[in-house]
Amino acid sequence: MVCMVSRTGRQMQRYNKGHRLVVGFTRNGEFEVLVISSQKGHAMMFPKGGWETDESVEEAASRESLEEAGVLGIVQCELGKWRFKSKSQGIYHEGYMFPLLVTEQLSLWPEQNLRKRAWMTVEEASEACQQWWMKEALEKLVNRLNSSDFESSIS
């Protein structure tokens, strides 16, 4: 069993030219993706969060998947980087998204009382996620999964 508490605060988070760096993931393999509710429960999105100074970007993506969605897995090759404006703070962030090959879904996780999680088809997730950059990340994932290079990338 894994026992972990979510990190809080921004004092250790990474910034690039004043923009907070955030990371997240999508699931690959079965054309299903995991989405979570925002903390206030009004929007569905892919797990993401701050990239802290004591971890690699891949470690941050893995940590956020555990904290927010309660899943463990293998972080795959980066899908890309997006620049977007935070709705709550009105500042720009750089978001790095990674597919995650999910190996375990936990019944207990740090933010389970703050968020709901749901596995969805690509079409459902595209409708549920309102953020343009998450839709683009999903499209890149689908293109990667449909490419002939996909089988060699996971071998």
Side-chain angles (χ1 to χ4, degrees):
M1 178 172 162
V2 175
C3 183
M4 183 177 180
V5 176
S6 292
R7 292 183 177 195
T8 59
R10 303 214 190 277
Q11 58 273 33
M12 288 189 59
Q13 297 204 345
R14 294 178 190 251
Y15 291 82
N16 181 20
K17 299 178 184 169
H19 302 114
R20 188 166 77 105
L21 303 179
V22 299
V23 297
F25 82 98
T26 58
R27 178 183 186 208
N28 66 18
E30 298 178 359
F31 286 139
E32 270 190 333
V33 293
L34 179 64
V35 295
I36 59 168
S37 63
S38 65
Q39 284 189 357
K40 294 179 182 172
H42 302 297
M44 296 302 281
M45 63 186 63
F46 297 121
K48 64 162 184 60
W51 172 16
E52 301 197 356
T53 57
D54 65 339
E55 60 193 355
S56 70
V57 67
E58 293 84 4
E59 289 169 335
S62 182
R63 176 181 51 76
E64 288 295 335
S65 70
L66 172 60
E67 289 178 1
E68 295 188 351
V71 293
L72 301 171
I74 302 163
V75 177
Q76 305 290 299
C77 184
E78 180 182 314
L79 290 170
K81 177 172 83 170
W82 287 265
R83 205 172 149 184
F84 62 96
K85 191 172 186 178
S86 166
K87 290 181 181 178
S88 63
Q89 299 171 348
I91 59 173
Y92 283 93
H93 299 303
E94 288 181 7
Y96 299 80
M97 293 296 285
F98 296 86
L100 182 80
L101 181 59
V102 174
T103 58
E104 187 174 358
Q105 181 171 306
L106 305 174
S107 56
L108 299 172
W109 71 97
E111 296 186 19
Q112 72 183 33
N113 294 326
L114 299 173
R115 301 177 187 277
K116 293 184 172 113
R117 67 180 173 195
W119 290 101
M120 296 184 173
T121 66
V122 169
E123 294 78 19
E124 291 168 335
S126 184
E127 287 180 30
C129 288
Q130 298 302 308
Q131 298 178 10
W132 65 270
W133 68 280
M134 288 190 179
K135 289 178 187 272
E136 283 187 12
L138 181 58
E139 186 177 320
K140 282 187 112 173
L141 175 63
V142 169
N143 290 339
R144 183 182 292 174
L145 292 172
N146 286 330
S147 78
S148 58
D149 298 332
F150 173 66
E151 286 301 318
S152 62
S153 73
I154 61 169
S155 304

